[in-house]
Amino acid sequence: MKNQENQWRSPAHALHYLSRADKIPHRTEGEALVLELLPKDVERILDLGTGNGRLLALLKIERSNAKGVGIDFSETMLAEAKKRFESDHSVSLIQANMDERLPDMGDFDGIVSSFAIHHCEDDRKRSLYQEVFQRLKPGGIFCNLEHVASPTERLHQEFLLAIGYPPDFKDPSNKLLDVETQLRWFQEIGFQEVDCYWKWREMALLAGYKPND
């Protein structure tokens, strides 16, 4: 997320995204599957690029005893997340840039991310997945609900139209990558049961488990 290319430092950009987030078609389908895959008895959850805490809050509904950690580097997003969790002392929020190595936060039963990692350069995506693997407890799951690359320009334009953007829309913050490459990385790193568990156009849920010792 190079500064000159990343618009998420702009409060206006962050707030504009939040105003549209609930209107993204089929988003809740992907979120529902994250809720299905993450066990109800997890003790610690990490949300990478938590934004306003939307996904973490959904996960906490049926996992009220779990401790949650959300990281984001946008002050605007974190301010919204703090409002959401102001009465929930089991959630900690950390300002951190995923372009840099993740801070030491201990181990987690589940690590999730929602439409955030695609802002990283491809080499950083892979090293971030490695760090995720290292921070998962044995048997833990990683769920990455992500914006991925279409195989053709035509399909990319159709996706933009489907979510209400003009076909020539460009967001320099986006570093989109195909599903197949990312799943291969998961497998090379050591994740098991790796799959694209859900997909609608350029929205996909990529997930895998850390093997039990």
Side-chain angles (χ1 to χ4, degrees):
M1 288 184 285
K2 296 179 180 179
N3 293 347
Q4 66 269 30
E5 297 179 351
N6 192 345
Q7 303 179 50
W8 291 97
R9 293 188 184 276
S10 163
H13 186 80
L15 291 172
H16 174 69
Y17 171 79
L18 292 178
S19 72
R20 293 182 56 91
D22 290 337
K23 302 174 185 177
I24 297 175
H26 303 283
R27 175 176 182 156
T28 54
E29 296 173 11
E31 292 172 331
L33 193 51
V34 176
L35 269 63
E36 178 184 322
L37 291 174
L38 193 71
K40 302 294 191 300
D41 60 351
V42 294
E43 296 179 355
R44 297 192 77 218
I45 306 168
L46 172 62
D47 186 8
L48 300 172
T50 193
N52 68 346
R54 172 194 173 101
L55 181 58
L56 188 54
L58 288 172
L59 291 168
K60 286 278 290 173
I61 292 173
E62 293 187 306
R63 301 163 186 80
S64 58
N65 292 327
K67 294 184 178 180
V69 178
I71 70 169
D72 206 288
F73 88 121
S74 167
E75 293 181 0
T76 302
M77 290 293 197
L78 286 173
E80 294 298 317
K82 287 177 181 178
K83 293 178 186 178
R84 185 188 292 273
F85 296 117
E86 61 182 352
S87 61
D88 187 349
H89 301 296
S90 68
V91 173
S92 302
L93 299 171
I94 300 171
Q95 186 170 20
N97 190 335
M98 288 193 297
D99 271 347
E100 302 169 358
R101 186 171 179 82
L102 294 176
D104 185 5
M105 300 169 286
D107 296 332
F108 297 87
D109 305 283
I111 298 178
V112 300
S113 186
S114 178
F115 305 113
I117 295 176
H118 67 279
H119 295 132
C120 297
E121 298 287 350
D122 291 349
D123 58 347
R124 177 54 187 152
K125 289 185 183 75
R126 196 187 192 290
S127 61
L128 179 59
Y129 294 154
Q130 180 70 55
E131 292 171 31
V132 166
F133 186 81
Q134 294 168 349
R135 284 161 175 75
L136 276 175
K137 296 178 182 178
I141 186 172
F142 174 44
C143 294
N144 183 21
L145 185 58
E146 183 62 300
H147 186 180
V148 299
S150 284
T152 69
E153 181 60 26
R154 176 181 174 181
L155 291 176
H156 172 61
Q157 293 178 359
E158 289 180 357
F159 168 74
L160 291 174
L161 289 172
I163 64 171
Y165 283 97
D168 60 348
F169 174 79
K170 303 289 184 184
D171 184 345
S173 298
N174 289 344
K175 315 291 190 307
L176 305 184
L177 185 63
D178 62 277
V179 168
E180 292 78 11
T181 297
Q182 297 185 71
L183 293 181
R184 187 180 74 249
W185 287 348
F186 277 31
Q187 293 170 332
E188 291 172 351
I189 288 168
F191 286 100
Q192 295 182 344
E193 309 299 334
V194 171
D195 202 359
C196 176
Y197 282 74
W198 171 85
K199 189 174 188 295
W200 177 76
R201 295 183 181 268
E202 290 187 7
M203 297 162 59
L205 175 56
L206 315 179
Y209 296 81
K210 184 171 183 175
N212 285 299
D213 290 340

